[in-house]
Amino acid sequence: MKNPPSAFAAGLPYAQAWATQHGHLTSAGYRTEHDGFPLGWWLHKQRRAAYTHLKRTGQPWPHHNQLAALDPWWNPPWRATWNHSWHQAHTHHSTGLPFPNQTTKWIRTQQRTWEQLHPTNNTS
């Protein structure tokens, strides 16, 4: 899809369905599609809109609470790619599958930089 929909209302039902199915939104990577909808792209656009709104107005983004009700970490203060990597590592660990090389490198980086992680990530 060349120009995926970015309007909030267009993607909210897909975000709700994804969160219901997976328990969160954080595993939806940039290229994730849900029922043919570009959910990952849409979430990226929502994160960008939230950041821009906060920077411009100093106020929380009006749609923040709707997405936070689905997943409190839909827009973490760290890079969203960290969540995607964590979910990939967690899935491989939980299923007993060997870690892909990139995931192994990511895990080692987390171990080396443990003290730099956001405090709420240290409890996972």
Side-chain angles (χ1 to χ4, degrees), residues 6-71:
S6 59
F8 186 80
L12 187 59
Y14 295 97
Q16 290 168 326
W18 181 273
T20 297
Q21 183 178 353
H22 298 278
H24 49 76
L25 295 171
T26 56
S27 65
Y30 186 73
R31 292 185 176 94
T32 298
E33 287 194 9
H34 187 66
D35 292 335
F37 182 82
L39 180 63
W41 173 254
W42 181 84
L43 283 167
H44 168 75
K45 298 282 277 184
Q46 305 319 304
R47 289 182 189 110
R48 198 164 71 188
Y51 172 79
T52 301
H53 179 82
L54 180 63
K55 189 174 178 183
R56 190 181 73 242
T57 68
Q59 299 295 314
W61 186 53
H63 300 296
H64 173 82
N65 290 340
Q66 289 172 284
L67 288 171
L70 302 176
D71 179 357

Side-chain angles (χ1 to χ4, degrees), residues 67-79:
L67 288 171
L70 302 176
D71 179 357
W73 296 112
W74 76 273
N75 190 20
W78 53 86
R79 297 189 74 139

